[in-house]
Amino acid sequence: LPSLAGGPAPGETFFPMQSDRVHYAGQHIAVVVADTYDRALHASHLVRVEYAEEPSVTVLDQARDQAYEPEAIFAGFVPGRSERGDVTAGLAEATTTVDRVYSFAPNHHNPIETSATTAYWEGDRLTLHDATQGVTATQHTVAALLGIPHSRVRVVSPYTGGSFGAKAMVWHHPTLAALAARAVGRPVRLALTREQMFTSCGHREEQEHHVTLGADDQGRLTAVRHHKLSPTSPFDHWAEPSLALSGHLYACPNYEGVYRLIRANTSTPTFMRCPGEATGLFALETALDELAERIGVDPLELRLRNYAETDPATGHPWSSNGLRECYQAGADRIGWHRRAQPPRRDGHWLLGLGMATAAYPVYAPNNPVRARARIYADGMATVQAAVTDIGTGVLTAMTQVAAETLGLPVDRCRFEGGDTDLPHAAAAVGSAGAGMVSAAVHTACVELRSKLIARAVADPASPLHGADPTRITVTDGRMAHADNPGTGETYSELLQRQFLPDVEATGSWGPPPHDAPFGMLTFGAQFAEVAVDPELGLVRVRRMAGAFAPGRVLNAKTARSQLMGGMIWGVGQALLEASHMEPGTGRWANASLGEYLVAVHADTPEIDIDLIEVEDTVVNPLGVKGVGEIGQSGAAAAIANAIHHATGHHFSKLPITIEDVLATSGAPSA
């Protein structure tokens, strides 16, 4: 390609086709453009490439001696090392220790909708229809790479068919589509194949976690050491932030978390649902169950003994909590009292119960989020923000927020999103979408409502003329005096009398400062019941129960759907999902949905979900923490702990396969 007009986009260090060097298998080296898909496919098969092979590193075992400790990971957001107290001294004073190494296979996102971009130019203005989690992120990245103003790039994506982090980063294909469209003077659609989704949109990297726990004879933690080793690309210091919760979740005076990376011939890993917490909590929570077994205490009781009243890393109070209530609700739903009995049998099946704590940080964008609200003379309202619905139902929830704030029925409000021509909203990532956008929508609608009330009390023709604005309430679009509900008028009557076709207002919300004196986590608890066939190595998850405290719940139906999806993903993480790298070629050996196993309906257990609403006045105006990630947090650990309860064996790798179960020495008889 000709050199890009602009420089690297923020957060990016590599763009393909700028030299003849190939860093990893699957790297884009050419784009073929044709007027039909079949012609493009045929033409791509005619391309011949000659490679000069060089030594490569593709898996951890090939380069352990080359590991290094980065200053920061996760696009520079997370320090490479975090410490408090003296871990060596804490382990020395412990009466019981657990020292385990956990390994994790790489994972790929595999949304049903593969990534695709349609690009077309109108003069010097570019329009992209992109499958993305954030239209403004795509706009920002493509504008930076092409060296053109943001105002000349419009990105449209009202709905995205699944993502789970694969469409959070802005990968190469949107810019390549724009370059191709400019070159041929025609609209161009660039759609990735399923196999290309394994090499073009990141992945959850291969990981190895070394966890050491120390505790006194009552099970109270004296030290936690959590080290992680993983491969990154030749050009980025990327690793999931898997260690964050190990230092925040339980009361422990001594903690050490260290990331170590190996440069490998792979594409840069990326966010994947519950990024970091899904793997980090598996290691921490299964190690805690092993500690509970050695001390002779119930696993739930062990966690209660180490309950953190404040954030252990800072000593700050939690903005809100609810974890104790989650423990109790989940235990009641799964029937945890049965776990004290010897593991039961159901015919040849061994039955087991397991649990784990769930948690996820409360994230917020660095830049303010904006929304615009407008009400028309017919009494209908439209609210807008550039947020994309990635399957979470955010457009529905924001319609509810607007209706509640404006005092309108839901069917008289419409929410519009997914377009960079609308007010700015950051990408819907890190369970932050509902909290950030609802805050901006609420602020805009409060401003609009205040404008309309101010017009009414200032209008001599209004029944509310001269009233105290703070005493005006709005129900079903009618403004009324709180002390005399019969006195009032509708928004529509006010606007029509004043010959106004509409009135609008904008709202902006910025997150709490990073140094706010509060610990901010969403808490929950996961419980699972499994059946294990020790002769065939089969594991079936029969029941799952989850209790979560996500602050205020905007829409219980969509929230439960998100939590259930995360819990089912926990089944896949625990028992099915693994990408297999061919060490010699650096290629993914199972780059298809025929060979990469994901949980399907037949794998899905009975799922019971409790929503524990807790008031939070810190995170945002409505106290919304989000639920997108926490449904997966701790789910795989609960399943693995249930398998241990059934079989008596601890498993320290994911996924736990039939071969892993058969390799154990046999389950104890009931």
Side-chain angles (χ1 to χ4, degrees), residues 87-95:
V87 167
T88 302
L91 291 173
E93 71 178 76
T95 57

Side-chain angles (χ1 to χ4, degrees), residues 528 539-544 564-577 597-600 602-605 607 631-632 635-636 639 654-656:
V539 177
R540 295 288 182 262
V541 183
R542 290 191 171 182
R543 295 178 59 214
M544 294 185 75
M564 185 177 294
M567 294 169 75
I568 294 170
W569 197 319
V571 176
Q573 181 190 5
L575 303 175
L576 299 168
E577 296 194 41
L597 304 180
V598 298
V600 297
D603 302 302
T604 303
I607 296 178
Q632 189 181 352
I639 293 168
L654 287 186
I656 302 169

Side-chain angles (χ1 to χ4, degrees), residues 652-670:
S652 57
K653 64 174 284 291
L654 287 186
I656 302 169
T657 64
I658 290 174
E659 293 81 1
D660 296 327
V661 176
L662 291 176
T664 62
S665 57
S669 59

Side-chain angles (χ1 to χ4, degrees), residues 22-85:
V22 177
H23 295 281
Y24 56 90
Q27 177 182 316
H28 302 312
I29 60 170
V31 177
V32 175
V33 184
D35 59 350
T36 71
Y37 172 77
D38 289 334
R39 286 185 175 123
L41 186 64
H42 174 67
S44 70
H45 291 161
L46 301 179
V47 176
R48 296 292 179 265
V49 182
E50 293 182 359
Y51 296 100
E53 293 188 12
E54 297 178 353
S56 63
V57 172
T58 56
V59 294
L60 287 178
D61 285 340
Q62 292 175 332
R64 291 179 180 275
D65 58 341
Q66 300 174 24
Y68 68 96
E69 184 180 321
E71 289 189 12
I73 60 153
F74 206 55
F77 294 127
V78 177
R81 175 181 287 263
S82 180
E83 299 173 290
R84 69 171 180 271

Side-chain angles (χ1 to χ4, degrees), residues 224-358:
V224 174
R225 177 184 285 145
H226 194 164
H227 290 190
K228 176 186 174 183
L229 177 67
S230 59
T232 187
S233 67
F235 30 79
D236 287 316
H237 305 293
W238 182 277
E240 282 194 330
S242 305
L243 314 183
L245 292 180
S246 295
H248 289 267
L249 197 50
Y250 297 109
C252 179
N254 306 298
Y255 168 73
E256 178 185 279
V258 178
Y259 294 93
R260 297 171 69 239
L261 299 176
I262 289 173
R263 294 286 189 192
N265 294 103
T266 180
S267 61
T268 300
T270 193
F271 315 99
M272 191 167 184
R273 192 173 194 171
C274 201
E277 290 73 20
T279 50
L281 273 184
F282 176 85
L284 177 65
E285 292 295 301
T286 53
L288 278 170
D289 257 44
E290 189 166 348
L291 179 66
E293 182 182 44
R294 294 188 183 186
I295 295 173
V297 64
D298 179 83
L300 177 54
E301 175 60 27
L302 179 73
R303 288 162 174 84
L304 288 169
R305 292 182 186 183
N306 289 283
Y307 179 85
E309 299 288 351
T310 59
D311 184 347
T314 63
H316 293 153
W318 300 111
S319 64
S320 61
N321 196 311
L323 180 55
R324 289 186 188 275
E325 293 86 344
C326 290
Y327 283 146
Q328 186 63 55
D332 289 344
R333 287 184 178 272
I334 204 71
W336 187 253
H337 63 278
R338 295 182 289 123
R339 193 187 185 281
Q341 305 165 2
R344 298 177 297 119
R345 276 188 181 271
D346 179 6
H348 62 282
W349 294 96
L350 301 171
L351 304 183
L353 289 173
M355 61 85 55
T357 305

Side-chain angles (χ1 to χ4, degrees), residues 467-491:
D468 179 358
T470 64
R471 301 295 298 158
I472 304 299
T473 62
V474 185
T475 305
D476 289 334
R478 181 177 181 273
M479 300 173 285
H481 201 292
D483 301 326
N484 185 10
T487 301
E489 64 176 334
T490 65
Y491 291 146

